[in-house]
Amino acid sequence: MANQGSNKITKYRRPLNLNIGMIIFAVIFVYIVICVFMYFTSRHIIWYEVTAGTLSTNNIYKAVALRDETVVLATDAGYANYFAREGSKVAVGDLVYAVDETGKLSDYIAADSVGENTLSDADLNDLKTEIVSFAHSFDSASFSSVYDFKYDMEGMVLKLSNYNIVENIDSIQEAGLAGLVKQCTSPLAGVVVYSMDGYEELKLEDMTSERMDPKNYEKTQFLGNALIGLGSPVYKVSTNEDWSVVIQVDKEREQELLEAEYVKVRFLKNQETSWGQVETYTNEAGEIFAKLTFTNSMITFCNDRFVDIELILEDEAGLKIPNSSIVEKEFFIVPKDYVTKGGNSSNYGVMRETYEEGVATTEFVETTIYNETEEEYYLDDSTLRIGDYLVKPDSAEKYACSKRGSLIGVYNINKGYADFKQINILYSNDEYSIVQSNTAYGLNVYDYIVLDASTVSEDELIYER
């Protein structure tokens, strides 16, 4: 029993062995924890670098084209075969199409009796332009436009392939078709178009939002070798090079266009530009429409009722800043005669009247100038109070601080603290503003400003950028 008590084993506790490595690791770990805590609990100030630039505004519209168009009616019944190229100019008496009472003319053409017909480079370019335009404007929500495109392509290819038949009209007459094929000439001079849509006589005063919607638009395409009846529409002629496009606008844009009188327009189809004369109209429903009239390029868009355009308004160039940086601040407005230089530096300030033991004295109060007019300065209100009397240098005249005004500006942080800088906004959209550059109290290119002005206050120190 005694031996059993003497054999009791007591566990030895090892002492904590601290070394310099563990201490350094602990200090770094505590520092990281503190930094992470401060990062998630502190307010973060994001900066923005001022750059020179312009604003890109959304000035793209889908316009309705208005032209002087006359629909020509058929004088004979039969199968119509078109020979005048669509979009080409015809004079009075020029052959446009022929009416075949039996349908034999199409068989004659299909048999290559008139020889080969090779498309020219201009013809191929027309086809490529139509295909590219359709590819860019296609909307799956309006799948019916695929069929319109199909008919346009079929009609264009057929008319192009029939074009050289005009040069072989004598061989057609000799083929036994004389008397059965009647040549139909144009009664008007103008540009030939082989479609109609009911918009031919539309005027600015007839415009509604429904007519501006392509979903409500229907076009009838006149196809070659199609059976036509006496008096039915067979083609139309655009008789005037002057034409217009109509867009729907709001009141602000209407006023802007009316003030401009003439607006530069870019046609997205071919990227060409032209100047349009402005005219506006408001219908009974309060919808505002602007018409832009041109004196050229009608033949390019003679087959288009809806035209995508971009209004190229006056570009405002300057310093580009985000709208979230803009803030409004109040200042004291003081006559220039009361602002002077003094103190221990060449900084500007004012002489403020003070009283010591009932005796009036003056002290120099340094203040910052933020803007000026011909006769007054905008001074910082952090060192002045309403009711302070300012003494005019070398005079006994006094001025009581009471007049205040506000300025629009941003917080510049180049010096490590939030310094208000006045700006003059030239133009703005929903996200950015263009402000005037090279101003006496404003911003310069590559200045750093606070991205969100609501996150800082005047003269606040900025620890991070």
Side-chain angles (χ1 to χ4, degrees):
M1 296 294 292
N3 291 334
Q4 291 179 356
S6 62
N7 291 332
K8 184 178 180 180
I9 299 174
T10 303
K11 186 177 181 180
Y12 177 75
R13 180 175 295 177
R14 297 176 59 185
L16 181 63
N17 186 17
L18 294 177
N19 54 54
I20 188 65
M22 294 181 63
I23 295 175
I24 294 175
F25 176 79
V27 171
I28 294 175
F29 178 77
V30 173
Y31 174 76
I32 293 175
V33 171
I34 294 175
C35 290
V36 171
F37 176 79
M38 292 180 62
Y39 177 82
F40 285 103
T41 58
S42 63
R43 183 178 53 181
H44 300 284
I45 298 174
I46 303 175
W47 54 267
Y48 174 85
E49 185 178 8
V50 178
T51 58
T54 59
L55 284 184
S56 57
T57 57
N58 185 14
N59 293 327
I60 296 178
Y61 294 87
K62 185 170 288 294
V64 172
L66 303 182
R67 296 173 285 262
D68 292 335
E69 299 170 315
T70 301
V71 177
V72 179
L73 304 181
T75 56
D76 294 275
Y79 294 90
N81 288 273
Y82 297 102
F83 299 132
R85 185 172 302 174
E86 186 171 37
S88 63
K89 292 184 178 180
V90 295
V92 177
D94 284 353
L95 176 64
V96 177
Y97 71 103
V99 175
D100 177 14
E101 296 180 1
T102 63
K104 293 182 179 180
L105 178 59
S106 61
D107 296 335
Y108 181 75
I109 296 173
D112 293 334
S113 300
V114 295
E116 293 184 356
N117 185 14
T118 303
L119 297 180
S120 65
D121 292 339
D123 296 336
L124 292 174
N125 287 334
D126 290 341
L127 289 174
K128 291 178 182 179
T129 300
E130 291 297 329
I131 295 172
V132 171
S133 178
F134 171 77
H136 284 289
S137 61
F138 174 70
D139 184 2
S140 58
S142 303
F143 188 77
S144 60
S145 61
V146 174
Y147 296 98
D148 294 336
F149 174 70
K150 173 187 175 183
Y151 296 143
D152 289 344
M153 289 295 98
E154 288 179 351
M156 179 177 293
V157 171
L158 185 59
K159 291 152 197 168
L160 291 175
S161 64
N162 288 349
Y163 184 66
N164 70 335
I165 298 179
V166 178
E167 302 175 357
N168 299 275
I169 197 69
D170 293 336
S171 64
I172 294 176
Q173 299 294 345
E174 295 173 358
L177 298 178
L180 299 178
V181 177
K182 183 175 182 180
Q183 301 178 34
C184 300
T185 59
S186 175
L188 301 168
V191 178
V192 175
V193 177
Y194 296 114
S195 64
M196 63 176 296
D197 51 17
Y199 282 53
E200 285 77 16
E201 298 182 0
L202 201 63
K203 306 298 180 185
L204 175 62
E205 294 75 14
D206 303 322
M207 295 305 302
T208 62
S209 58
E210 288 77 13
R211 289 193 172 103
M212 297 289 299
D213 190 351
K215 295 180 181 179
N216 302 325
Y217 177 73
E218 294 182 359
K219 181 173 71 171
T220 300
Q221 189 76 35
F222 302 131
L223 301 177
N225 198 33
L227 184 63
I228 60 173
L230 178 63
S232 60
V234 66
Y235 67 94
K236 65 183 178 184
V237 179
S238 297
T239 58
N240 196 337
E241 182 65 19
D242 294 347
W243 66 298
S244 306
V245 296
V246 177
I247 58 176
Q248 187 171 357
V249 297
D250 55 23
K251 190 67 178 178
E252 182 179 356
R253 180 51 55 88
E254 177 194 25
Q255 187 63 32
E256 185 178 3
L257 295 177
L258 288 176
E259 290 178 359
E261 295 185 3
Y262 286 87
V263 176
K264 190 177 183 180
V265 175
R266 176 183 289 114
F267 298 99
L268 302 188
K269 180 178 179 179
N270 57 6
Q271 297 299 313
E272 297 293 330
T273 60
S274 184
W275 287 88
Q277 184 178 9
V278 178
E279 180 183 352
T280 63
Y281 173 76
T282 304
N283 62 18
E284 295 180 354
E287 298 168 336
I288 305 174
F289 300 94
K291 183 174 76 170
L292 308 173
T293 302
F294 308 96
T295 58
N296 53 37
S297 305
M298 185 277 293
I299 192 171
T300 304
F301 305 95
C302 63
N303 197 34
D304 299 318
R305 184 60 67 185
F306 287 90
V307 181
D308 292 324
I309 65 171
E310 179 185 6
L311 303 183
I312 305 178
L313 303 175
E314 183 178 358
D315 293 331
E316 295 289 359
L319 304 180
K320 185 177 181 179
I321 63 172
N323 292 337
S324 59
S325 300
I326 300 175
V327 65
E328 184 175 1
K329 190 176 183 298
E330 284 194 344
F331 300 89
F332 281 114
I333 301 178
V334 176
K336 287 185 175 181
D337 294 340
Y338 288 84
V339 179
T340 184
K341 292 183 178 181
N344 297 325
S345 66
S346 59
N347 295 332
Y348 284 96
V350 293
M351 302 299 296
R352 181 169 61 187
E353 185 179 65
T354 61
Y355 288 88
E356 296 181 2
E357 299 179 356
V359 179
T361 60
T362 58
E363 62 174 350
F364 178 79
V365 178
E366 185 176 318
T367 184
T368 304
I369 299 175
Y370 288 91
N371 195 24
E372 66 177 290
T373 63
E374 292 183 1
E375 299 180 353
E376 297 173 319
Y377 283 125
Y378 283 74
L379 303 183
D380 184 13
D381 62 352
S382 62
T383 55
L384 299 176
R385 298 180 299 273
I386 294 179
D388 282 350
Y389 279 95
L390 307 183
V391 180
K392 186 176 182 179
D394 302 325
S395 173
E397 297 183 25
K398 300 179 182 181
Y399 175 81
C401 289
S402 60
K403 187 176 180 181
R404 296 174 66 87
S406 61
L407 294 175
I408 301 296
V410 297
Y411 287 121
N412 185 305
I413 57 174
N414 288 351
K415 300 178 181 179
Y417 62 91
D419 184 20
F420 182 89
K421 292 291 185 180
Q422 184 260 347
I423 59 174
N424 180 23
I425 299 177
L426 301 176
Y427 194 81
S428 63
N429 59 18
D430 294 337
E431 297 182 359
Y432 291 92
S433 294
I434 296 297
V435 303
Q436 186 175 355
S437 59
N438 299 322
T439 57
Y441 304 97
L443 295 173
N444 295 312
V445 179
Y446 308 125
D447 279 350
Y448 290 98
I449 63 176
V450 177
L451 179 62
D452 186 357
S454 63
T455 61
V456 298
S457 56
E458 177 75 7
D459 295 331
E460 179 181 350
L461 292 177
I462 307 298
Y463 296 101
E464 57 177 317
R465 290 198 312 189

